[in-house]
Amino acid sequence: MGFDQYHEPAHDLSEETRTKARMLASLTEEVEAINWYEQRISVEKDKTAKAIMQNAQQEEFKHFGMDLEFLLRKMPKWKIVLQDILFKEGDIVQHGEKAEDDAG
């Protein structure tokens, strides 16, 4: 069974790189799940079904956050960049430009 998450031969990649690839794939899957639930929730008429989907979506948020935190701990430049962008008031693009400069 092949894995399309690698762009280089898996046996040439370090264990750390393969772990990051798996976590990046997981992060992507969580975002997709959040999006799918968002779409389902927006059209669901049954209140109970909607509540169940909202609960499930919250689980996906948690998983996304844990995946992201793991990656930030393993990828210090990501952490530097995101600390300059996330949870700040003001112009997002300006924060992004500063983050890029700070990461150098």
Side-chain angles (χ1 to χ4, degrees):
M1 178 167 136
F3 295 94
D4 61 358
Q5 70 205 42
Y6 302 121
H7 293 282
E8 300 295 333
H11 64 274
D12 289 344
L13 301 173
S14 70
E15 186 63 33
E16 180 181 10
T17 297
R18 290 193 310 267
T19 295
K20 287 178 193 174
R22 287 189 289 270
M23 292 303 292
L24 286 163
S26 180
L27 189 72
T28 300
E29 291 162 359
E30 299 303 340
V31 169
E32 288 174 346
I34 290 165
N35 178 38
W36 295 335
Y37 279 117
E38 189 67 25
Q39 292 178 42
R40 291 171 188 157
I41 290 164
S42 74
V43 297
E44 184 54 57
K45 304 276 190 272
D46 185 284
K47 289 181 182 180
T48 302
K50 190 174 205 167
I52 292 167
M53 287 182 234
Q54 289 170 325
N55 181 274
Q57 187 185 46
Q58 289 297 316
E59 285 291 311
E60 305 304 341
F61 291 151
K62 177 183 77 176
H63 299 157
F64 174 85
M66 291 187 305
D67 290 349
L68 181 59
E69 180 61 25
F70 177 88
L71 288 163
L72 292 174
R73 291 178 185 189
K74 298 291 183 182
M75 303 169 86
K77 281 195 175 187
W78 275 33
K79 192 169 189 170
I80 291 167
V81 169
L82 292 182
Q83 284 175 327
D84 281 347
I85 298 171
L86 298 176
F87 310 111
K88 294 188 174 210
E89 298 294 323
D91 189 288
I92 296 168
V93 174
Q94 287 179 354
H95 291 315
E97 293 297 321
K98 181 183 180 314
E100 188 175 39
D101 291 343
D102 289 350

